[in-house]
Amino acid sequence: MIDDLALEQAVGQHHALGTSITLQIFGTQDQDVINKSFDLIDHYEDLLTVNRDQSEVMSVNHAAGKHPVQVSSGTYSLIKLAVKESRANFGFNALIGPVVKLWAIGFKGAHVPTDAQIKEKMRLIDPFNVELDDNNQSVFLTKEGMELDLGGIAKGWIADRIRDFWHAYGVNAGIINLGGNILLVGDSPKRVSGQWSVGVQDPKEKRGKNITSVMVPKCSAVTSGTYERYLVVDGHKYHHLIDPRTGYPVETDLAGVTTFTKDSVEAEIECKRLFFAGHPIKGWHDDPDRVGAIFVYNDEHVEYDNFNN
């Protein structure tokens, strides 16, 4: 029997983090928690954004090559995680900004830069040139011109904070959708199994058209793909996912990869790991927090890692 709570819903929509956000809570029609969640999202955007001149992260960037900057504990923990994962050198790099801006793919002025220009900017993206001071919660970018950008993992981290907030308010089931970054909270009240149905975008179709779908327990689903922002020059297609090891868009047969993990920030990180690998990694899903992954290739064939499809 389907839980009657599935019929009671509070839903809200909001624009923040450069995207459309939808929050859905089952078991109530009270909008109070939804509205407070939007306030919390706005608060974190104020701290973490690099799309405005002022934020805690921009304060760190403005001080690059000059002095350390003390930040709040949440911002510091996210920066510390981003730097740690960047140093692992699997493809994710929170310092990649200067190279990404050089290409400007998806923005006005997008072009293919010269090798010399790329090499010059590559000197500014070494994550080992970030000094972290745990005692003072301070961050120092040691070279002038360096930039920290948490956009690659911030949405996942914020989704996890919203889930924490919902738990504090006794929310048992809901969906946090930060522009396609999905976090499923609790068991689905729509199915006796408690499982959720999640669709995976077809890279050749408009947003919302799925190439496949899977049933999953409560988890986060995040996708990295080459199909939404790209530049075509002389018949060659350059997508926006720049490899920090080369300074060029990563060469891959993948159109996109979707990861399903317990926490959303982990889904963000693991999505990049698998995308830059270009194929399933042996033993990847041995970690119990990793539910599985779906790889969609340019020729439209689909590979399932840890799913019985």
Side-chain angles (χ1 to χ4, degrees):
M1 180 178 159
I2 303 303
D3 197 326
D4 288 340
L5 288 178
L7 305 176
E8 294 274 324
Q9 297 179 32
V11 181
Q13 294 187 312
H14 186 58
H15 191 87
L17 312 173
T19 193
S20 296
I21 291 170
T22 303
L23 302 180
Q24 185 175 11
I25 293 174
F26 295 103
T28 182
Q29 292 185 350
D30 187 349
Q31 293 289 125
D32 188 46
V33 174
I34 297 274
N35 294 333
K36 285 176 177 170
S37 299
F38 290 144
D39 290 341
L40 192 54
I41 291 168
D42 291 342
H43 166 70
Y44 284 126
E45 183 171 24
D46 289 344
L47 297 179
L48 303 174
T49 186
V50 293
N51 296 320
R52 303 178 208 145
D53 196 49
Q54 289 192 319
S55 71
E56 286 195 333
V57 174
M58 285 305 295
S59 294
V60 171
N61 290 346
H62 290 320
K66 299 171 188 167
H67 58 80
V69 173
Q70 190 175 61
V71 295
S72 62
S73 57
T75 302
Y76 185 77
S77 68
L78 183 56
I79 290 173
K80 189 171 181 177
L81 174 65
V83 170
K84 172 177 168 267
E85 297 296 341
S86 298
R87 288 174 176 173
N89 198 33
F90 58 79
F92 169 76
N93 189 333
L95 287 306
I96 190 73
V99 178
V100 171
K101 285 181 178 174
L102 185 63
W103 285 85
I105 294 172
F107 299 94
K108 192 177 176 183
H111 70 292
V112 179
T114 65
D115 281 335
Q117 288 173 322
I118 290 170
K119 284 192 175 76
E120 183 186 347
K121 294 299 183 185
M122 290 281 281
R123 294 205 298 265
L124 299 173
I125 70 168
D126 186 348
F128 288 94
N129 289 331
V130 182
E131 293 181 1
L132 299 170
D133 182 337
D134 289 354
N135 291 328
N136 291 308
Q137 280 183 191
S138 68
V139 185
F140 181 34
L141 308 181
T142 61
K143 286 188 176 183
E144 192 173 347
M146 288 180 71
E147 296 176 25
L148 187 63
D149 185 346
L150 302 175
I153 59 172
K155 280 198 287 187
W157 186 83
I158 291 169
D160 291 334
R161 301 292 75 74
I162 298 302
R163 179 186 57 192
D164 295 342
F165 180 68
W166 284 10
H167 285 160
Y169 269 82
V171 172
N172 290 321
I175 302 171
I176 299 165
N177 183 345
L178 306 187
N181 282 42
I182 310 293
L183 181 55
L184 306 165
V185 179
D187 294 337
S188 171
K190 293 186 175 183
R191 292 176 187 84
V192 175
S193 66
Q195 298 251 306
W196 301 86
S197 176
V198 179
V200 174
Q201 173 70 35
D202 185 331
K204 301 266 174 79
E205 297 289 343
K206 287 189 285 192
R207 183 176 273 242
K209 187 85 183 286
N210 297 330
I211 195 168
T212 187
S213 64
V214 288
M215 300 298 294
V216 294
K218 60 183 179 184
C219 67
S220 178
V222 171
T223 300
S224 282
T226 63
Y227 47 86
E228 289 199 322
R229 294 197 341 242
Y230 54 85
L231 167 70
V232 178
V233 177
D234 297 332
H236 190 91
K237 185 175 176 180
Y238 300 88
H239 61 77
H240 74 289
L241 292 170
I242 306 294
D243 190 334
R245 298 163 294 192
T246 65
Y248 286 84
V250 62
E251 295 284 340
T252 182
D253 292 326
L254 272 179
V257 60
T258 302
T259 48
F260 301 83
T261 66
K262 178 188 169 190
D263 295 324
S264 195
V265 73
E266 183 188 14
E268 294 261 32
I269 292 164
E270 294 309 313
C271 206
K272 275 80 173 176
R273 187 190 311 279
L274 296 180
F275 181 84
F276 281 96
H279 51 75
I281 297 173
K282 188 177 180 183
W284 177 83
H285 59 254
D286 290 348
D287 184 325
D289 288 346
R290 298 174 184 171
V291 176
I294 295 175
F295 297 76
V296 180
Y297 293 86
N298 290 325
D299 64 4
E300 295 234 289
H301 91 270
V302 179
E303 201 167 337
Y304 300 87
D305 187 6
N306 213 35
F307 289 108
N308 296 318
N309 289 60

